[in-house]
Amino acid sequence: MRPDHIAIVGASLAGVRTAEALRRLGFLGALTIVGDEPHVPYDRPPLSKGYLAGTRRLDQLPLHPPAPMLEDLDVEVVTGIAATGVDLAARILTTSDGHTIEFDALVAATGTRLRHLPPETMATTGPPVLGLRTLSDADRLKPFLTTGANVVVVGAGFIGAEVASTASQAGCNASVVEALPIPLQRQLGAEMGALCGRLHQRQDVRLLTNTTLAQVDKTGVVLSTGEHLAADVIVVGIGVLPNVEWLEDTGLDLSNGVLCDSTLRAHTDMVAVGDVARWPNTRYNETARIEHWTNAVESAEHAAATLLGGNDPFEPVPYFWSDQYGAKIQCIGRTTGYDEVRVVAGSTDDLKFLALYRKGDALVAALGVSMVRQVMGFRQLLLDRVSWTNALDAVP
Ligand SMILES: Cc1cc2nc3c(=O)[nH]c(=O)nc-3n(C[C@H](O)[C@H](O)[C@H](O)COP(=O)(O)OP(=O)(O)OC[C@H]3O[C@@H](n4cnc5c(N)ncnc54)[C@H](O)[C@@H]3O)c2cc1C
């Protein structure tokens, strides 16, 4: 049976794109998006890049099509209200303003929130300790990025690296503290993580690996090495947690996100999309949650089709990008468990190169640093599951 009313919880990229896809696929029933942020749905990637740097304006952030066009799509967007619970059998959503919303089908698009440092490491007075996930977070951080300001970033993941990059370009003295021996090791592997870590050093941003924040004090941070770093602001980028608490009484598997089947269905007439969804990607024989912009878009498109009766597995080749210090890092594919990574074009000395990842005799990923056209050429090859030999033949 086709649903008459679809409720989407989470008014961000995956939620909005699901609504758009449902309309494009011919869904004519009622659509409601419920979001707990006060803003109209906006795009997050510029928050650590152009918006934080002041080169991208607030009115350039809303998701496309912008909010007025959501009205054209006949979608009711309710902002500033959180879903607090759901009865899947009765198909009723409860919200933080004390209301209930009845639905025929439900979309979980609630994304993730920041992980925090342990409270015992905080000081009662001292520099502000901020994170970056939302527009409000970016607005809080922006005024601190002034020439000469000491900025300590905790965590050398993509968001931490982008904040350090933006801070350094604003004339701040930025330092990055990373617990692991190599930055981005989990995402890119040791060899490529180490190369990308050199982007910091090239701009005189100090990267302290094998180091953690022990204590915030009145004037900065004390590190696990005993060193003290002066800080006007501390930015913590140590990962995220999926927003699943509103689904706690449903009996769904909520360990590390909403567990779905291969079609993104989490329950009868319920799908999950974007950062919050965990599903078995049959392409890789792996059940995972992916925190990339493109995955939010592609999963939204797929889950909309599933809700309207589709039964195809969602088998994407993951893709993400990151902009740091004028360089563009792009990665297509899965880098976990590779056997070899080979630089096939460009120069690692210049930090402008293309690398391919091999597992067995297959190409499994391509990484480009400032090689936009070359890396995107491997997308179709990865979708086609080409052999390593054929991939090498395709190197431009
Ligand atoms: C600063 C930053 C920079 C990024 N840069 C890149 C990049 O360069 N490249 C890249 O590939 N990816 C990037 N990303 C990741 C990308 O933005 C995310 O993958 C994408 O936003 C995921 O979309 P989503 O809709 O699944 O989740 P989210 O964007 O997290 O949205 C979920 C929404 O649901 C709301 N919500 C949560 N719980 C409830 C509830 N109970 N009721 C109602 N609403 C609720 C949240 O407040 C939020 O508004 C970046 C992310 C950040 C934060």
Side-chain angles (χ1 to χ4, degrees), residues 12 14 36-37 44 49 83 110 133 159 274-275 292-293 321:
S12 184
D36 63 358
E37 290 189 68
R44 284 179 212 280
K49 309 175 182 75
T110 41
R133 179 80 203 169
I159 306 292
D275 282 15
H292 307 326
W293 192 94
W321 79 94

Side-chain angles (χ1 to χ4, degrees), residues 9-15 34-37 42-49 81-84 109-113 132-134 159 162 243 246 273-276 290-294 296 319-323:
V9 182
S12 184
L13 182 62
V34 180
D36 63 358
E37 290 189 68
Y42 60 89
D43 213 13
R44 284 179 212 280
L47 298 183
S48 48
K49 309 175 182 75
I81 304 284
T84 49
T110 41
T112 56
R113 65 179 179 279
L132 182 54
R133 179 80 203 169
T134 65
I159 306 292
E162 290 187 354
N243 292 319
W246 62 286
V273 289
D275 282 15
V276 81
I290 293 189
E291 297 163 4
H292 307 326
W293 192 94
T294 305
Y319 166 73
F320 68 83
W321 79 94
S322 176
D323 298 334

